[in-house]
C-alpha cells in the first residue's frame, strides 16, 4: 500500500500537470501495477479465453462491415493490475482527474478528486470508453460529438455516445481531446469502468455512427501526435506471482523502461497472415526441449486480454505427448504428476530468428492458487491450452498473460513491430 503522503504528492502532481502543458521527459514516471485473481473456476477462465479467441477471428473477418466494431526517450508509466483475464488501470478522465486506485488511500483521493476509472488495458481492441461502473461526469474539458459508438468484445458489449475529453494516463501524461465512448449500456464489465484500447487503430473502423467510415486515434496515437511521448509505443512488464492480489508490474508509454528487462530487445515485424494481422500478431515457432517440434513457424497474437498460453489443437496434442500431460476433468487444465514435472523441459519460442526460453516452472499454474480456481492443492497444472483449431487457421497461438509475465514486451505502433526481452524473472521458480 502507498503511504498517504506519497499518494497526496502523486495526486497534487496530477493536478499540476493537468493545468499546465506537458513536456517530453527524459526520465521515467513510474507507478505500481498489480495482479488480482478474480475468477470462480478454471472452466470459466478457459471459456472466457476461448470465447475471446473466437470473437477475435470473427471480428477480423467482418471488420468495419457493420456498426458495433465488427469492423531523448520519454517513458510515462501507469498503474495496471491483472484480474486473471485482464489488466486493469486507473485512468483519469476530465478535469480534475485522478490516477488513484489504492484501496487504503481511497478516502483521501475522494477528498481531492471526484472521478476514478478502472479500465481494462486491452491490446485486442482500440476504442477507449468509460461508464460501465462509475458514471461519467461532464467537466470543463468534456465535449459531446454527434456520434454514437458501439463495440462488441465476444465476452461483452457496450453502446453509448462519443465524447472528447482530457485523459490522464499518469501524472506525467495528460492527453487532451481524446475520443472516448461514454456507455449508456454495457454487458460483461462488472467490477470495471470500461476499456482503454491499445490495439491497432484499424480496429476502430465501423464503431461510430453516423461517422461509420472514420478511424479513431488511440490514446497512444494521440499522445505521440501531440508530442507528449517521443515514440508511438508502450512497454508492458509483469512479474510472476503466486498471490491472489499483489503489486507486480507496470506499463510504460513512449519507450521501453530499461530497468524492467535484461539484455537487449529483439523485435519482430507484425505478421501479414489474417486474422492475426488485424491485431498485435507475429510469426513464431515453438519447440519442446532440444528437438521436439510443437508448432512450426506460423501466425498468432500477443494479447493482454488472454490469461493462458493457447496453441493450435495439433500442436497441443504434440505437447501432451511430449510431457505426458492429461486434461484434468475437474479444472479443464492440463495436469502432470510430480515425476513428470521433474522431467518437464523448457519450451523454446523462436521469433524473427531469436529464441526465448519458457522454463518448466513458467509452464505451471501457480500451485498456491490451485484451490482458488477449484483445483486440488496437491495437483500440478499447466498453463498451455488448446485454442480449438488446427494449425493453419491464421490464429495458431495466443501468447497471453502467462507468457507476458516472463518477458518484457514492447508494442511499437510507429514501427509496426513487437519487441521481447528477458527479465530478472524469466527463469523465476515462483510457480
Amino acid at each position: 500500500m502507498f503511504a498517504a503522503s506519497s499518494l497526496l504528492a502523486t495526486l497534487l502532481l496530477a493536478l499540476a500537470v493537468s493545468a499546465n502543458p506537458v513536456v517530453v521527459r527524459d526520465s521515467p514516471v513510474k507507478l505500481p501495477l498489480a495482479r488480482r485473481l478474480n475468477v470462480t473456476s478454471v472452466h470459466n477462465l478457459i471459456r472466457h479465453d476461448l470465447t475471446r479467441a473466437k470473437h477475435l477471428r470473427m471480428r477480423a473477418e467482418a471488420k468495419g462491415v457493420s456498426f458495433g466494431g465488427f469492423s531523448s526517450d520519454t517513458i510515462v508509466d501507469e498503474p495496471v493490475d491483472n484480474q486473471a483475464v485482464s489488466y486493469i488501470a486507473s485512468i483519469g478522465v476530465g478535469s480534475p482527474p485522478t490516477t488513484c486506485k489504492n484501496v487504503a488511500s481511497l478516502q483521501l483521493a475522494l477528498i481531492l478528486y471526484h472521478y476514478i476509472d478502472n479500465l481494462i488495458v486491452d491490446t485486442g481492441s482500440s476504442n477507449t470508453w468509460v461508464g460501465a461502473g462509475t458514471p461519467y461526469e461532464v467537466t470543463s474539458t468534456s465535449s459531446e460529438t454527434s456520434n454514437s459508438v458501439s463495440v462488441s468484445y465476444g465476452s461483452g458489449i457496450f453502446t453509448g455516445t462519443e465524447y472528447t475529453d482530457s485523459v490522464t494516463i499518469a501524472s506525467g501524461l495528460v492527453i487532451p481531446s481524446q475520443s472516448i465512448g461514454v456507455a449508456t449500456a454495457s454487458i460483461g464489465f462488472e467490477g470495471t469502468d470500461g476499456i482503454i484500447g491499445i490495439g491497432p487503430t484499424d480496429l476502430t473502423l465501423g464503431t461510430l455512427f453516423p461517422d461509420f467510415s472514420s478511424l479513431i486515434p488511440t490514446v497512444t496515437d494521440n499522445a505521440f501526435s501531440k508530442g507528449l511521448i517521443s515514440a508511438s509505443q508502450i512497454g508492458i512488464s509483469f512479474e510472476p506471482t503466486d498471490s491472489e492480489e499483489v503489486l507486480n508490474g507496470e506499463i510504460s508509454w513512449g519507450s521501453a523502461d530499461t530497468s524492467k528487462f535484461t539484455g537487449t530487445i529483439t523485435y519482430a515485424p507484425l505478421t501479414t497472415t489474417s486474422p492475426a494481422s488485424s491485431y498485435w500478431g507475429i510469426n513464431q515457432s515453438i519447440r519442446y526441449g532440444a528437438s521436439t517440434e510443437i508448432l512450426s513457424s506460423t501466425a498468432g497474437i500477443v494479447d493482454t486480454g488472454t490469461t493462458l498460453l493457447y496453441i493450435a489443437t495439433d500442436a497441443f496434442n504434440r505437447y501432451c505427448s511430449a510431457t505426458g500431460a492429461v486434461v484434468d476433468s475437474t479444472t479443464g487444465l492440463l495436469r502432470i504428476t510430480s515425476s513428470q514435472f521433474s522431467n518437464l523441459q523448457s519450451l523454446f519460442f523462436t521469433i524473427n530468428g531469436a529464441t526465448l526460453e519458457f522454463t518448466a516452472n513458467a509452464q505451471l499454474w501457480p500451485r498456491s492458487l490451485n484451490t482458488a480456481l477449484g483445483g486440488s492443492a496437491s495437483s500440478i497444472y499447466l498453463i498451455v491450452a488448446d485454442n480449438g483449431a488446427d494449425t493453419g487457421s491464421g490464429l495458431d497461438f495466443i501468447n497471453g498473460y502467462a507468457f507476458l509475465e516472463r518477458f518484457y514486451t514492447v508494442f511499437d505502433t510507429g514501427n509496426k513491430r513487437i519487441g521481447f526481452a528477458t527479465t530478472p524473472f524469466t527463469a523465476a521458480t515462483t510457480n
Side-chain angles (χ1 to χ4, degrees):
M1 296 292 181
F2 297 114
S5 59
S6 298
L7 175 66
L8 178 60
T10 300
L11 294 175
L12 291 176
L13 179 59
L15 273 179
V17 170
S18 66
N20 295 282
V22 176
V23 296
V24 175
R25 296 181 175 225
D26 294 322
S27 59
V29 177
K30 299 178 181 178
L31 293 174
L33 312 179
R35 179 184 188 268
R36 185 171 68 207
L37 185 65
N38 187 28
V39 294
T40 57
S41 75
V42 174
H43 284 301
N44 289 344
L45 176 61
I46 292 177
R47 184 166 61 248
H48 176 282
D49 280 354
L50 291 179
T51 298
R52 178 178 174 85
K54 180 179 180 180
H55 180 75
L56 291 174
R57 289 189 180 95
M58 293 173 59
R59 188 175 181 184
E61 293 171 358
K63 185 172 60 180
V65 300
S66 64
F67 180 53
F70 282 89
S71 58
S72 143
D73 290 335
T74 295
I75 308 174
V76 184
D77 304 327
E78 67 162 308
V80 177
D81 69 22
N82 178 48
Q83 288 190 309
V85 295
S86 305
Y87 295 105
I88 305 293
S90 293
I91 304 297
V93 178
S95 180
T98 179
T99 56
C100 172
K101 187 174 180 288
N102 190 276
V103 175
S105 303
L106 183 58
Q107 185 174 1
L108 172 63
L110 292 177
I111 293 173
L112 297 175
Y113 300 94
H114 67 276
Y115 199 72
I116 298 173
D117 276 307
N118 297 326
L119 304 184
I120 297 171
V121 178
D122 188 13
T123 57
S125 66
S126 302
N127 293 74
T128 293
W129 62 274
V130 300
T134 304
Y136 176 73
E137 295 183 19
V138 174
T139 70
S140 61
T141 55
S142 306
S143 179
E144 183 177 352
T145 77
S146 59
N147 285 308
S148 298
V149 58
S150 179
V151 183
S152 175
Y153 298 91
S155 58
I157 188 172
F158 102 95
T159 60
T161 302
E162 184 192 30
Y163 279 73
T164 60
D165 209 337
S166 176
V167 173
T168 300
I169 299 297
S171 59
L173 180 55
V174 182
I175 306 170
S177 302
Q178 171 66 42
S179 170
I180 61 170
V182 174
T184 55
S186 64
I187 299 173
F189 296 95
E190 293 76 11
T192 66
D193 295 317
I195 283 181
I196 179 168
I198 51 177
T201 308
D202 285 354
L203 292 175
T204 65
L205 181 65
T207 62
L208 295 177
F209 184 82
D211 198 5
F212 180 78
S213 61
S214 292
L215 297 175
I216 302 172
T218 67
V219 289
T220 311
D221 294 335
N222 275 337
F224 178 65
S225 67
K226 296 177 187 300
L228 306 179
I229 55 177
S230 60
S232 184
Q233 64 178 237
I234 64 167
I236 289 181
S237 167
F238 263 88
E239 301 169 12
T241 179
D242 58 3
S243 300
E244 291 192 26
E245 184 165 359
V246 63
L247 298 175
N248 72 328
E250 74 172 33
I251 180 171
S252 64
W253 299 76
S255 181
D257 183 348
T258 56
S259 71
K260 296 299 180 181
F261 63 90
T262 58
T264 59
I265 300 174
T266 298
Y267 288 93
L270 298 183
T271 186
T272 58
T273 301
S274 181
S277 57
S278 293
Y279 304 98
W280 285 107
I282 56 171
N283 294 325
Q284 75 177 18
S285 63
I286 303 176
R287 184 182 81 244
Y288 178 78
S291 59
T292 303
E293 181 180 274
I294 300 297
L295 187 68
S296 59
S297 185
T298 189
I301 65 174
V302 183
D303 184 40
T304 62
T306 299
T307 303
L308 305 179
L309 171 64
Y310 288 85
I311 56 178
T313 299
D314 52 321
F316 176 78
N317 291 336
R318 287 190 287 271
Y319 178 75
C320 291
S321 296
T323 61
V326 296
V327 176
D328 180 72
S329 61
T330 301
T331 66
L333 290 179
L334 286 179
R335 187 187 72 246
I336 56 175
T337 66
S338 295
S339 60
Q340 287 170 334
F341 174 56
S342 297
N343 295 318
L344 191 65
Q345 300 179 54
S346 294
L347 288 171
F348 294 90
F349 294 72
T350 300
I351 303 171
N352 199 30
T355 299
L356 301 175
E357 182 177 2
F358 196 67
T359 65
N361 188 268
Q363 296 168 56
L364 302 187
W365 177 263
R367 282 166 282 185
S368 65
L369 299 180
N370 284 358
T371 57
L373 296 179
S376 168
S378 60
S379 292
I380 302 174
Y381 302 112
L382 302 178
I383 53 79
V384 178
D386 182 357
N387 79 351
D390 282 333
T391 301
S393 72
L395 189 61
D396 293 337
F397 62 85
I398 303 177
N399 294 350
Y401 172 78
F403 177 90
L404 292 168
E405 69 178 359
R406 298 290 175 154
F407 302 104
Y408 189 82
T409 306
V410 177
F411 298 87
D412 187 345
T413 301
N415 294 300
K416 298 182 179 180
R417 61 184 184 173
I418 304 179
F420 304 97
T422 57
T423 79
F425 306 98
T426 296
T429 56
T430 309
N431 296 338

